[in-house]
Amino acid sequence: MSGSEFNYKIGLIAPSRVGKTTLIASLLNEGQQLLAGSQVAMRPADTPTANRITVTEGVIRGALRAKVFEPDRVHSTSDPSHFRLRLQPRTSEAPILFEILDYPGAWLEESGGERNGAAWEDCQTFLGDSTVLIIPIEAVLLMEAEEKYERVLPSQLAIPQIEQLVRSWAKERRHNRHEPALVVFCPVKCESYLSDNGGFQDKAADLLARVKREYSGVVQVIREEAPHAVLRYLPIDTFGCVELTSARWIEDPRALGGYKCLPRYRVREPGVIARKGLDDLIMLLCNQLVSAAQLRSEQAAAEDKLISEHLRQHADGSEGFFRDLWLNWSGQRAARVRRAEAGEETYRQSVAQSKTLFDVLSALSTRPEGPRLAYLG
Ligand SMILES: Nc1nc2c(ncn2[C@@H]2O[C@H](COP(=O)(O)OP(=O)(O)OP(=O)(O)O)[C@@H](O)[C@H]2O)c(=O)[nH]1
Ligand SMILES: [Mg+2]
């Protein structure tokens, strides 16, 4: 936390090419749309964040211009970067900063590799500090792996690596039990499996069943280490306007498990992004993050109140006739009263801050939950 700004870290865990960068960049757009006309604004908190988001958006919009969407036209992330989004109530001095770390998913697969071990350590520290974990899941891989290819799933979904990271995260949450702890399992690229956003088939139940099956170990780890954590399931379309036309499996000795899935997509006319599920994600984040902020603010207010009461007692309390007399004569009593008044002012200010945060919470979390949201575990 810097100054009066609440800083909330959001951790993302997924291997390469799942859709982390796209998801983060989409959050700002969705947040702004959600907050349009309200007393709260969401903005990039710094120039690098603003630039990264506009560059990512430009690349995606460009890729969706074509009739056929080619995923490889969107490049992998090469360096870790912090996306910072500020949630700013128009009337308040107490904004909330969402900080999301984006990193090359390949680092998760190979623990940073030979050259990036230290930077990967930093990423892991960030993930451990995050109260919220988002686990984007490659829906196409999961849904298109028929029996013969199912054995590639644990390695290509990076389940053992995710379990390890989640275990460290859950241990941290166990230490900070009073804080909210949330994990959101988010299948992405599910445009062709759900029928509520232009898709032709409804495989929602199958998708959920497969996520439960493949991530059961991850869920178990969280249950063991941090039973108080809330586990949600939320499929997300960051594009919404593409359709899977085929998913071919080829033998590839470099691919984990020896086979690689090659999806092909058609762009649904007119190629305009139709996000789905991100509003629920923002609502979940705000609920959890702001209630954490509120808790912390209330704790601070309680501490300030205690100090102010202590100072007041110290200022007013009688310490015996001769000592009281001396306190008054020497001017120390007046100094104590001044300190007590300053303490009361700090207390009043922190209460006012809690109220502002509460306003933000109400603005964002009164939305009803969408039908895609489910509990997991
Ligand atoms: N069909 C579809 N493709 C998506 C979606 N989200 C992302 N993609 C595509 O999936 C590919 C990978 O997305 P990225 O956001 O770059 O993935 P990443 O997890 O950041 O990958 P690394 O940077 O390598 O870790 C890109 O071609 C994206 O355009 C989605 O919701 N639907
Ligand atoms: Mg990326």
Side-chain angles (χ1 to χ4, degrees):
M1 192 162 60
S2 72
S4 61
E5 193 163 59
F6 285 97
N7 183 354
Y8 277 93
K9 293 178 177 171
I10 301 166
L12 258 89
I13 302 185
S16 183
R17 311 303 288 154
V18 172
K20 293 181 293 302
T21 308
T22 312
L23 184 65
I24 300 172
S26 311
L27 271 178
L28 173 69
N29 246 300
E30 186 70 22
Q32 288 177 332
Q33 217 170 334
L34 211 59
L35 292 163
S38 82
Q39 288 297 306
V40 181
M42 188 185 255
R43 298 193 192 95
D46 50 41
T47 317
T49 299
N51 288 342
R52 275 190 296 270
I53 290 177
T54 44
V55 166
T56 308
E57 273 227 0
V59 172
I60 293 170
R61 284 192 204 183
L64 291 175
R65 281 271 172 91
K67 281 202 163 43
V68 174
F69 170 67
E70 296 175 59
D72 288 346
R73 291 203 179 268
V74 181
H75 294 296
S76 271
T77 304
S78 54
D79 293 303
S81 52
H82 292 259
F83 282 72
R84 296 186 179 89
L85 303 177
R86 183 170 286 132
L87 203 60
Q88 177 90 57
R90 219 153 265 157
T91 50
S92 144
E93 316 93 51
I96 298 168
L97 193 74
F98 283 20
E99 188 175 3
I100 314 170
L101 174 66
D102 192 22
Y103 56 85
W107 290 13
L108 168 77
E109 294 159 47
E110 53 198 46
S111 301
E114 271 176 28
R115 286 186 302 135
N116 302 302
W120 176 235
E121 280 288 320
D122 292 343
C123 292
Q124 291 180 76
T125 306
F126 181 97
L127 293 173
D129 288 344
S130 307
T131 14
V132 177
L133 271 192
I134 299 173
I135 305 186
I137 298 169
E138 170 80 56
V140 175
L141 187 61
L142 201 57
M143 295 296 281
E144 302 301 326
E146 283 150 25
E147 238 175 290
K148 180 175 175 195
Y149 305 109
E150 265 177 15
R151 63 193 171 85
V152 310
L153 289 179
S155 51
Q156 291 194 12
L157 295 170
I159 301 291
Q161 294 93 323
I162 295 177
E163 276 179 15
Q164 269 191 23
L165 282 178
V166 162
R167 189 176 291 281
S168 312
W169 176 85
K171 278 187 192 296
E172 284 293 322
R173 303 284 73 70
R174 196 186 185 96
H175 282 300
N176 300 296
R177 250 167 200 282
H178 56 284
E179 289 180 5
L182 172 70
V183 185
V184 195
F185 293 81
C186 295
V188 292
K189 308 181 189 175
C190 13
E191 297 94 354
S192 304
Y193 309 114
L194 304 175
S195 59
D196 60 353
N197 198 22
F200 302 121
Q201 42 183 0
D202 181 3
K203 294 192 173 176
D206 193 13
L207 181 61
L208 174 58
R210 288 182 190 228
V211 168
K212 280 185 173 166
R213 186 185 70 203
E214 295 304 324
Y215 290 79
S216 61
V218 178
V219 169
Q220 195 187 333
V221 164
I222 303 169
R223 284 284 159 257
E224 281 165 16
E225 303 284 357
H228 68 295
V230 175
L231 308 187
R232 302 301 303 261
Y233 166 84
L234 175 63
I236 287 181
D237 299 348
T238 42
F239 292 170
C241 60
V242 295
E243 184 77 38
L244 187 76
T245 48
S246 68
R248 205 157 50 88
W249 285 86
I250 55 161
E251 257 187 85
D252 181 350
R254 286 165 308 163
L256 295 166
Y259 292 99
K260 194 175 170 184
C261 178
L262 291 178
R264 287 178 64 85
Y265 301 90
R266 168 180 82 75
V267 178
R268 281 182 201 144
E269 291 290 333
V272 177
I273 292 174
R275 291 181 297 265
K276 190 96 183 169
L278 274 157
D279 51 351
D280 279 325
L281 181 63
I282 290 180
M283 195 254 305
L284 283 181
L285 292 178
C286 287
N287 250 317
Q288 289 290 318
L289 299 179
V290 182
S291 65
Q294 200 187 1
L295 200 76
R296 198 184 287 184
S297 171
E298 276 166 11
Q299 277 169 355
E303 276 166 26
D304 288 344
K305 184 165 188 274
L306 218 69
I307 292 169
S308 113
E309 278 171 4
H310 174 77
L311 287 171
R312 176 58 71 190
Q313 263 178 12
H314 191 50
D316 294 343
S318 172
E319 297 178 20
F321 176 78
F322 288 110
R323 178 133 177 92
D324 282 352
L325 190 65
W326 178 82
L327 282 171
N328 277 335
W329 279 356
S330 65
Q332 286 209 21
R333 173 78 71 195
R336 281 183 183 186
V337 169
R338 278 198 300 278
R339 277 208 298 280
E341 280 166 2
E344 277 156 8
E345 182 52 27
T346 315
Y347 167 59
R348 269 194 295 275
Q349 276 176 9
S350 39
V351 169
Q353 272 185 16
S354 322
K355 187 189 169 306
T356 310
L357 287 167
F358 189 77
D359 288 346
V360 180
L361 172 71
S362 323
L364 288 157
S365 62
T366 46
R367 293 170 57 89
E369 289 191 359
R372 286 189 173 200
L373 256 173
Y375 283 92
L376 210 71

